[in-house]
Amino acid sequence: MSLDPSFVGRTYPPTAPYQVGREKIREFATAVGATDPAHHDPEAARALGHPDLVAPPTFPVIVTMAASRQIVEDPALGVDYSRVVHGDQRFAYTRPVVAGDELVCANTIEEITNRGGHGFLTTRTDVSTVAGEPVVAVWSKIVVRGEA
């Protein structure tokens, strides 16, 4: 089943707020091997001018993966998640994510192509604070493998 290109440009409502906590940052940093003290010690982060712990650069994937369910579970789009493989991920930061942030995500479908029996879906998730301050834009490309 191919993906419908008419979905390009579709936006989804903002998600519920996600509270970024110190322990989540520490756990994520440990899991990805990020040893910079600013990820583990609030005083080290403050010494660098941040209000609290700084999340590693790929931390937003925690909130954007949850937000992407709006898209992959959209029955009209028809993504068969059992056939999905990750194609690409990139981040464009306005500022770092820090402990204490309350983040919301707004999803947009930026590109849909179908090639060789596979669907390619690129999304942009704009992550901002509940006050509307932009934090990071995250692009993700998934490949929906065709039937063998």
Side-chain angles (χ1 to χ4, degrees):
M1 175 180 189
S2 64
L3 299 175
D4 182 352
S6 73
F7 277 74
V8 172
R10 181 171 290 195
T11 60
Y12 293 80
T15 60
Y18 175 88
Q19 179 72 43
V20 178
R22 284 182 179 171
E23 286 311 307
K24 286 293 184 188
I25 290 175
R26 287 183 182 121
E27 290 167 359
F28 188 87
T30 299
V32 299
T35 59
D36 188 308
H39 303 314
H40 301 274
D41 177 8
E43 291 307 315
R46 285 188 196 98
L48 295 171
H50 302 288
D52 210 318
L53 290 184
V54 178
T58 55
F59 182 87
V61 78
I62 291 173
V63 292
T64 61
M65 280 294 293
S68 71
R69 281 184 282 202
Q70 291 177 311
I71 296 170
V72 298
E73 294 177 356
D74 184 337
L77 182 57
V79 172
D80 178 353
Y81 202 72
S82 71
R83 305 197 63 76
V84 167
V85 292
H86 186 263
D88 189 30
Q89 190 94 36
R90 64 187 169 97
F91 303 82
Y93 274 89
T94 303
R95 69 157 178 85
V97 173
V98 295
D101 280 341
E102 283 189 87
L103 303 176
V104 294
C105 298
N107 291 309
T108 302
I109 296 177
E110 285 209 336
E111 182 180 44
I112 294 176
T113 57
N114 294 286
R115 297 186 307 270
H118 308 294
F120 296 81
L121 171 66
T122 301
T123 61
R124 186 185 79 241
T125 305
D126 293 309
V127 182
S128 59
T129 66
V130 293
E133 177 190 6
V135 177
V136 60
V138 180
W139 287 266
S140 178
K141 179 175 285 193
I142 62 170
V143 180
V144 183
R145 296 173 294 122
E147 297 289 330

